[in-house]
Amino acid sequence: MTATLPAPAAGQRPATGPAPRSPRRSTEKRRQRTLTWVLAVISLFTVAPLIAVAVLALSPEDAATLPYALPSSLTLDNIVRIFNVGEFPLWLWNSFLYSAVSVVVVLLTASMAAYALARKRFPGRNALLWAIIATMMVPVQATLIPTFILISKMGGVNTLWGLILPTLANAQAIFLIRQFVRDMPEELFDAARIDGAGEWRTFWQIVLPLIRPVLATLAIFVFLWHWNDLLWPLVVGQSDAARTLTVGLATLNTETASTSNVMAATLVSFIPCLVIFALLQKHIVASITHSGVKG
C-alpha cells in the first residue's frame, strides 16, 4: 500500500521545501564577500605601520626586533624612559595647548562668522565671502615669511601665543559651517524673532545646538591639523621650551635616542589623536547626512 499525504485544510497552502535561491541574490552575496575581503586586506596594510610602531615601542631596547625578528617579550620601559629624554613632557604639553586652544577659538570665531555670512544682510557680504574662500587657495608656504615677520615684530617668537595666534583664522571652517547654517529652515529664525530673541540668544540657543555635528567634525580636523603641524612650530619655536611634540620628535632623530625610544615617543603622540577621534567620530556621519536640522 502506498501512503497518501493528508489534503491541506481549506485556505492553507500545501507544505513546500525552502524557496530556491535566485542567481542574482547569490551573485550579490559573493560580491559582498569579495568586497569585504578586499577591504580587510586594505585595512591590514593601513594599520601595519601603526602595529610596527607599537611593536618597536614596546620591545626591549637591545633586543632583536622588526624587521629581522619579533620580540620575545614586551615592556613599557621605553615609554617610561622617553619622559626623561630632553623636554618631552613640556613638548607634549605645548602640543596639547596649541591644539586645544586652537580648536576652541577656531570653532567659536568660525561659527560666529559663518552665522553672519549665512543669515545676515550687509554691504559687501558676498565680496567678504569670496575673499575668505580665496585665502583657501593660497599655499601656507607663501604666507610663512610675512607671518613670521609680523609675529617677530610683535615679540611672539619662542612663545605659545605667537605659535597659536596665526592659526586661529580658519577659512575652511568658516566655509563649511556657513554651508551648514545656510540650509537651516528660515522658520526657526522667524520663530526666534517672534519670541523676542536677539542675535546673541539666537546664535547660542538655536544655531550652536543644531550645528553640533559639523562642529564635532571640525574639532577632529582642527585638532589633527595642529597636533601634527610641523612647519610653523618649527619656524616660530626656536628653543626647547617653545617646541611642540612634532618638532621635538624631529630633534630626537638627530640625537642619541634609540629607535625604540623614538617609536615610544611616536606611540605616545598618537594616543591623543586616537582618543579625540573615538569620542567624536560618530558626528562625522551625522554632519554629512544632516543639513542642520534632525528630522
Side-chain angles (χ1 to χ4, degrees):
M1 294 180 63
T2 58
T4 58
L5 295 174
Q12 181 180 1
R13 292 185 178 180
T16 58
R21 182 178 298 178
S22 64
R24 184 176 180 180
R25 183 177 300 178
S26 300
T27 304
E28 185 65 25
K29 286 189 175 181
R30 286 197 299 268
R31 188 175 302 171
Q32 291 178 358
R33 284 197 296 267
T34 302
L35 180 61
T36 301
W37 280 107
V38 170
L39 293 177
V41 173
I42 295 175
S43 301
L44 181 62
F45 279 101
T46 302
V47 300
L50 178 59
I51 296 175
V53 168
V55 171
L56 290 170
L58 300 177
S59 300
E61 190 171 7
D62 298 329
T65 182
L66 298 177
Y68 306 105
L70 291 175
S72 58
S73 62
L74 300 178
T75 178
L76 296 176
D77 291 343
N78 295 322
I79 296 178
V80 175
R81 189 181 300 111
I82 196 63
F83 280 91
N84 297 320
V85 174
E87 300 288 341
F88 184 81
L90 182 59
W91 299 340
L92 191 64
W93 176 247
N94 289 343
S95 290
F96 177 77
L97 283 181
Y98 177 44
S99 303
V101 173
S102 298
V103 166
V104 174
V105 179
V106 165
L107 294 186
L108 182 60
T109 57
S111 58
M112 290 180 179
Y115 171 62
L117 291 171
R119 290 294 169 180
K120 300 292 105 182
R121 300 289 187 269
F122 55 88
R125 186 188 67 165
N126 293 333
L128 179 60
L129 175 62
W130 283 109
I132 293 173
I133 295 175
T135 61
M136 298 169 55
M137 306 176 188
V138 180
V140 177
Q141 294 80 3
T143 60
L144 187 64
I145 295 177
T147 303
F148 176 77
I149 293 175
L150 290 175
I151 293 298
S152 177
K153 290 183 178 298
M154 296 169 61
V157 178
N158 289 327
T159 62
L160 283 179
W161 70 263
L163 178 67
I164 296 172
L165 184 62
T167 65
L168 298 182
N170 194 309
Q172 295 180 3
I174 295 174
F175 178 74
L176 291 176
I177 299 176
R178 183 252 180 191
Q179 298 301 108
F180 213 79
V181 175
R182 191 184 62 173
D183 293 335
M184 290 182 178
E186 187 64 33
E187 290 78 8
L188 288 174
F189 301 94
D190 292 339
R193 284 190 289 267
I194 293 173
D195 290 341
E199 297 296 341
W200 191 249
R201 181 181 173 189
T202 301
F203 174 75
W204 278 103
Q205 297 187 1
I206 295 179
V207 175
L208 277 186
L210 292 177
I211 63 174
R212 280 182 299 179
V214 71
L215 290 180
T217 303
L218 284 172
I220 296 174
F221 292 150
V222 173
F223 185 88
L224 293 180
W225 290 337
H226 289 81
W227 186 266
N228 296 322
D229 190 15
L230 175 64
L231 184 57
W232 176 244
L234 181 63
V235 171
V236 75
Q238 301 176 0
S239 64
D240 283 344
R243 285 176 177 170
T244 59
L245 191 56
T246 51
V247 179
L249 288 177
T251 60
L252 285 180
N253 288 324
T254 63
E255 296 178 357
T256 58
S258 64
T259 301
S260 298
N261 288 338
V262 175
M263 292 299 103
T266 304
L267 184 63
V268 171
S269 69
F270 170 75
I271 293 176
C273 300
L274 181 62
V275 171
I276 292 295
F277 184 80
L279 293 176
L280 301 178
Q281 59 88 21
K282 65 179 181 179
H283 295 286
I284 295 179
V285 177
S287 66
I288 297 174
T289 57
H290 293 72
S291 60
V293 178
K294 296 183 178 179

